[in-house]
Amino acid sequence: MAVYSMTGYASATVSSLQVAPQQVQAAAVNVELRSVNSRFLDLVLRLPDEYRALEPALREVVSAAFKRGKIELRVSNERGADATQLPPQVEQLQQLSQIQRLVQDSLPKAAPLSVYEALQWCRTSAPPVVLDETVLAAARQSVERLREARGREGDRLVSILMERVERLRALALQAAPVLPQVVARQQQRFLERWNEALVSAGANSAATPQALAERAMAEAAAFALRIDVAEELSRLGAHLDEITRLLRAGGEVGKRLDFLIQELHREANTLGSKSAALELTQISVEMKVAIEQLREQVQNIE
């Protein structure tokens, strides 16, 4: 299943003769759809007065295809020259001939109708063009085209998101070996500090070298526990795995991805707060940048 963006544009124009070939007159209807991102489905209809009754049906057509996004649907008439150039129907001419005979029987001096007058009468006496089904047909075509456009944009978003996910995986791999190095350096500092204290105290010190070394090791162990980010890195990796799974599965994944991005932010912030080395601080900052880039793109996913 594909991943769909919430941004896109589509339009469709349908002639009344395509929907009802028996129509005497021809008219065309254009339906435009514009879509941007939104937390929910927000549908705005711009309809001429004669199509107000179609609003429930149009809402149903759109809501059946989309679940999120601010979508504007605009309907406009496109009655062109083709509507005035249609030849008069035989039935109309026969009816007009009968009317003319009746008039001339009562008014013998009445002038016969000209071709122009006959065409004008046929045009005005033609049954009105019913465009309700034409509007709905144009709306369905436009909805299908918008869905295709949002699907193409969704494919591009997936590529961008997967790049950011791989970047975060690489940063997590960089952070994993840094922690033992930081702990080892700090352990050495503790040992050096206690050795200096032992030398300064000299013979007056009641503590043995072994006891001081053990205390230094205990301090180093406590320090290691305070800065341990293994759990955060593990959860971050699990969130990245879930994001990858959702992007591959497709469908309506925008809200779930948005929640996972929040969790990634939480883990990156914790990583930064526990940072005891410049290397980890830099990795945390780069992670936050990549996560923010993820968040901006996820906002556009349905």
Side-chain angles (χ1 to χ4, degrees):
M1 190 179 297
V3 171
Y4 293 94
S5 169
M6 285 189 286
T7 59
Y9 170 84
S11 67
T13 301
V14 175
S15 169
S16 59
L17 295 180
Q18 295 176 252
V19 178
Q22 72 277 10
Q23 289 279 355
V24 175
Q25 286 183 302
V29 173
N30 178 261
V31 173
E32 286 184 294
L33 286 173
R34 302 173 186 271
S35 175
V36 295
N37 61 317
S38 177
R39 292 183 62 190
F40 308 100
L41 180 61
D42 182 8
L43 181 57
V44 179
L45 302 182
R46 310 289 187 191
L47 306 177
D49 291 338
E50 61 265 33
Y51 301 135
R52 292 295 179 188
L54 291 177
E55 182 170 337
L58 290 171
R59 288 187 178 275
E60 184 178 352
V61 169
V62 177
S63 61
F66 307 111
K67 302 304 178 186
R68 293 181 68 198
K70 183 176 181 180
I71 301 176
E72 178 182 304
L73 184 150
R74 186 180 297 272
V75 178
S76 58
N77 294 322
E78 293 193 357
R79 292 188 176 91
D82 58 340
T84 63
Q85 293 176 356
L86 290 175
Q89 303 299 302
V90 175
E91 295 81 4
Q92 290 179 302
L93 294 176
Q94 291 175 347
Q95 183 182 5
L96 181 59
S97 178
Q98 292 174 0
I99 294 173
Q100 181 173 244
R101 283 197 299 269
L102 287 173
V103 171
Q104 288 179 335
D105 288 343
S106 300
L107 302 171
K109 294 183 178 180
L113 293 172
S114 66
V115 173
Y116 175 77
E117 291 170 333
L119 289 175
Q120 285 292 99
W121 185 89
C122 290
R123 187 176 302 117
T124 56
S125 65
V129 180
V130 179
L131 294 177
D132 287 4
E133 288 302 321
T134 306
V135 172
L136 293 176
R140 294 186 189 99
Q141 285 190 22
S142 190
V143 162
E144 184 60 30
R145 292 173 184 176
L146 179 61
R147 189 156 184 81
E148 292 173 357
R150 286 173 42 146
R152 290 191 297 270
E153 180 65 18
D155 291 340
R156 289 191 286 269
L157 288 178
V158 169
S159 298
I160 296 172
L161 291 173
M162 291 301 293
E163 289 178 4
R164 300 297 182 271
V165 167
E166 293 306 316
R167 174 60 179 160
L168 285 169
R169 289 189 194 278
L171 290 171
L173 288 176
Q174 291 178 26
V178 171
L179 187 62
Q181 297 171 10
V182 173
V183 172
R185 289 199 299 266
Q186 192 63 28
Q187 181 180 355
Q188 184 62 33
R189 291 194 189 99
F190 283 140
L191 288 172
E192 292 173 355
R193 188 176 67 183
W194 288 114
N195 285 333
E196 290 174 359
L198 181 62
V199 171
S200 299
N204 296 326
S205 176
T208 64
Q210 182 179 358
L212 292 175
E214 289 176 355
R215 185 170 180 180
M217 296 298 290
E219 291 283 351
F223 173 78
L225 289 175
R226 289 198 304 271
I227 69 168
D228 184 22
V229 293
E231 187 176 350
E232 285 76 13
L233 292 176
S234 177
R235 286 198 297 265
L236 189 142
H239 296 329
L240 293 176
D241 289 342
E242 181 63 9
I243 290 174
T244 301
R245 186 191 69 80
L246 289 174
L247 291 175
R248 289 174 178 171
E252 299 165 19
V253 298
K255 290 184 178 180
R256 283 177 287 179
L257 288 173
D258 189 53
F259 171 76
L260 289 170
I261 297 302
Q262 295 178 30
E263 294 302 305
L264 287 177
H265 266 297
R266 191 193 311 276
E267 304 306 335
N269 286 333
T270 305
L271 181 65
S273 65
K274 287 186 175 183
S275 176
L278 181 60
E279 301 96 321
L280 284 176
T281 301
Q282 291 174 339
I283 289 174
S284 173
V285 171
E286 291 189 35
M287 278 186 173
K288 291 178 183 179
V289 172
I291 292 170
E292 183 61 23
Q293 291 171 340
L294 270 176
R295 188 193 66 79
E296 291 177 357
Q297 300 301 330
V298 165
Q299 298 303 309
N300 291 322
I301 291 182
E302 184 177 12

